[in-house]
């Protein structure tokens, strides 16, 4: 089939996997009973489907299904993890996070500051790696929670959660990680990582939008409180009727994550895309370390190129992102790009291309041709120096 459009914005949202869609669609018409209705078989059946899905989500991250709380997405899971611990330990009033967290962490941290908590922001180096010394200094007996994103959504940087966990353990602080961007390549194991709380989002890994989960480990389980109030569903932590079809889609997506071999091929394809673009623009810089890195992330800086103009010129053929979807639309440059040391001008030369395991060589060739033509056209006008 001739390629006419290529979607390279998988870190903003992935297409639903065929399997997830097939599993989910009939659930709208078949499992419509309230899964919390325990007076009839229809309710029990819906509840069974929800529980089977919970099991699939738990299995994907090495957790027990009783530790999974369904939420509306990673934004809500992040809010629950942070706000749900408020006032649970009066000796601990410090929350530690990194400078490159997702907006849902940054904004929640601001809400904590308004409630009297001290929020310490740890810088990252030019490759997007956390300053472990500064982190070490910030974690002590006053620290309630450390929240460090596992995989960054803009530059694909991966943080050493296990080492961070050891620092938290020795000071008695809880550790939360936003793993929304990690699930799609099967690198998540709550035990190996040693986390107490972990956020997931279905639509970053072939599942539907509007559902995610918070893993709640043993140390957090008896402390976490709900942040909205209602009927006591989801272990009392997230009241509201659980959306059966979305749970089914999420579970199915978790059961069809790419294999190690598929992830290796995916990574190689992303590198081949970089090679092709480098042949066109030799001074391309990659934002963030090449290793460790999300296998589909290509956050690049094209010196002298106005990324707004380039992204617009690539439409409608190639979907790319300027910074993250969550920051685009705002006039300020991405806080992540600024945190790795880029100037506002340099941040304006950056694009994020994000591939998926299903991206093909033909698509990569199409993207190369589209970039070549866009850059040629831009060279004719003064925006390209
Ligand atoms: N955290 C990260 C790292 C993300 O990339 C996103 C999505 N941009 C979110 C949280 C929010 O996820 P959701 O859309 O499920 O609320």
């Amino acid at each position: 089939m001739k390629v006419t459009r290529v979607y390279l914005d998988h870190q903003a949202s992935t297409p639903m996997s065929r399997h997830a869609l097939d599993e989910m669609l009939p659930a709208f018409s078949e499992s419509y009973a309230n899964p919390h209705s325990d007076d009839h078989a229809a309710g029990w059946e819906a509840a069974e489907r929800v529980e089977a899905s919970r099991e699939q989500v738990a299995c994907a991250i090495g957790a027990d299904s009783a530790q999974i709380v369904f939420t509306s997405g990673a934004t809500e899971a992040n809010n629950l993890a942070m706000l749900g611990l408020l006032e649970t330990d009066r000796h601990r009033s410090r929350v530690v996070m990194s400078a490159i967290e997702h907006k849902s962490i940054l904004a929640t941290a601001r809400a904590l500051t308004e409630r009297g908590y001290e929020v310490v922001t740890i810088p990252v180096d030019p490759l997007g790696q956390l300053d472990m010394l500064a982190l070490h200094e910030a974690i002590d007996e006053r620290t309630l929670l450390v929240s460090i994103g596992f995989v960054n959504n803009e530059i694909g940087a991966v943080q050493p959660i296990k080492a961070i966990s050891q620092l938290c353990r020795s000071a008695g602080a809880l550790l939360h990680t936003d793993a929304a961007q990690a699930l799609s390549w099967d690198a998540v194991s709550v035990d190996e990582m040693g986390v107490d709380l972990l956020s997931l989002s279905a639509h970053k890994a072939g599942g539907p939008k509007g559902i995610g989960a918070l893993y709640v480990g043993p140390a957090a389980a008896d402390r976490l409180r709900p942040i909205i109030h209602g009927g006591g569903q989801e272990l009392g932590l997230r009241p509201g009727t659980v959306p059966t079809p979305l749970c089914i889609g999420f579970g199915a997506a978790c059961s069809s994550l790419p294999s190690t071999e598929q992830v290796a091929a995916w990574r190689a394809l992303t590198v081949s895309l970089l090679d092709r673009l480098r042949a066109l623009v030799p001074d391309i810089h990659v934002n963030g370390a090449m290793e460790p890195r999300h296998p589909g992330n290509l956050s690049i800086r094209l010196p002298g190129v106005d990324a707004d103009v380039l992204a617009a010129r690539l439409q409608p053929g190639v979907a790319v992102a300027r910074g993250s979807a969550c920051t685009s639309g705002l006039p300020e440059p991405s806080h992540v790009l600024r945190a790795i040391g880029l100037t506002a001008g340099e941040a304006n030369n950056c694009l994020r291309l994000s591939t998926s395991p299903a991206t093909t060589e033909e698509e990569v060739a199409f993207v190369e041709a589209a970039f070549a033509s866009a850059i040629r056209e831009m060279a004719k006008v003064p925006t390209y120096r």
Side-chain angles (χ1 to χ4, degrees):
M1 205 168 47
K2 192 169 179 304
V3 176
T4 54
R5 267 169 107 132
V6 180
Y7 180 75
L8 288 186
D9 200 15
H10 291 88
Q11 284 195 276
S13 198
T14 58
M16 293 259 309
S17 82
R18 190 70 242 176
H19 173 58
L21 190 62
D22 289 346
E23 289 288 305
M24 189 179 155
L25 283 181
F28 283 103
S29 49
E30 286 165 14
S31 310
Y32 50 79
N34 189 321
H36 314 292
S37 294
D38 54 10
D39 295 333
H40 47 73
W44 307 334
E45 281 156 23
E48 267 170 32
R49 304 229 42 197
V50 167
E51 293 319 309
S53 308
R54 195 189 305 280
E55 187 67 52
Q56 289 171 311
V57 174
C59 185
I61 59 168
D64 197 281
S65 63
Q67 299 172 318
I68 300 297
V69 174
F70 283 124
T71 63
S72 62
T75 298
E76 187 189 333
N78 287 344
N79 272 263
L80 177 56
M82 296 174 82
L83 298 174
L85 288 173
L86 269 179
E87 284 151 32
T88 53
D89 185 337
R90 63 189 175 85
H91 301 295
R92 293 177 182 263
S93 58
R94 178 184 294 163
V95 172
V96 179
M97 63 172 188
S98 83
I100 58 169
E101 293 304 313
H102 186 262
K103 293 265 165 163
S104 54
I105 297 285
L106 299 184
T108 310
R110 260 197 309 278
L112 290 175
T113 313
E114 282 157 18
R115 299 205 202 169
Y117 279 75
E118 178 200 6
V119 174
V120 178
T121 304
I122 307 298
V124 294
D125 69 15
L127 294 176
Q129 292 299 307
L130 205 62
D131 179 338
M132 292 297 281
L133 203 59
L135 184 69
H136 196 166
E137 281 165 11
I139 303 177
D140 62 22
E141 71 290 344
R142 286 165 297 173
T143 311
L144 174 69
L145 178 71
V146 175
S147 179
I148 302 290
F150 184 23
V151 180
N152 184 266
N153 53 309
E154 292 191 44
I155 59 170
V158 180
Q159 303 303 336
I161 300 296
K162 194 177 177 149
I164 297 169
S165 163
Q166 280 151 8
L167 296 179
C168 293
R169 292 272 171 274
S170 58
L174 292 175
L175 175 60
H176 165 247
T177 190
D178 175 351
Q181 294 288 345
L183 187 61
S184 58
W185 45 289
D186 200 14
V188 184
S189 160
V190 287
D191 279 346
E192 256 173 51
M193 293 162 81
V195 291
D196 300 301
L197 296 150
L198 179 142
S199 301
L200 295 172
S201 173
H203 76 101
K204 307 288 183 182
K209 294 174 186 59
I211 186 155
L214 181 67
Y215 156 81
V216 183
D222 52 356
R223 292 174 54 183
L224 200 68
R225 301 279 172 270
I227 55 172
I228 55 171
H229 303 283
Q233 293 93 342
E234 296 296 286
L235 312 170
L237 287 172
R238 204 285 186 163
T241 305
V242 167
T244 313
L246 298 182
C247 296
I248 292 172
F250 188 11
C254 285
S255 71
S256 52
L257 295 171
S259 65
T260 312
E261 294 73 37
Q262 285 167 323
V263 171
W266 178 14
R267 195 180 289 284
L269 188 106
T270 308
V271 171
S272 90
L273 173 60
L274 173 63
D275 293 342
R276 283 174 184 262
L277 296 180
R278 270 224 167 101
L280 296 173
V281 184
D283 55 352
I284 281 184
H285 294 264
V286 177
N287 296 316
M290 282 311 283
E291 198 56 55
R293 187 182 191 88
H294 184 291
N297 176 283
L298 210 50
S299 170
I300 49 174
R301 179 161 62 85
L302 304 107
V305 176
D306 185 327
D308 275 344
V309 177
L310 177 54
R313 283 214 178 253
L314 289 170
Q315 301 318 302
V318 186
V320 295
R322 285 229 39 226
S324 79
C326 312
T327 37
S328 61
L330 292 179
E332 320 98 57
S334 141
H335 69 283
V336 175
L337 298 176
R338 294 308 300 271
I340 60 170
L342 301 193
T343 64
E346 286 170 334
N348 192 41
N349 302 141
C350 293
L351 280 181
R352 180 189 68 184
L353 285 58
S354 46
T355 61
S356 86
T359 305
T360 62
E361 279 293 347
E362 292 71 33
E363 289 180 318
V364 166
F366 178 92
V367 173
E368 178 189 13
F371 264 75
S373 127
I375 285 171
R376 236 186 346 264
E377 288 305 310
M378 286 171 72
K380 295 179 187 159
V381 288
T383 48
Y384 184 77
R385 294 187 299 275

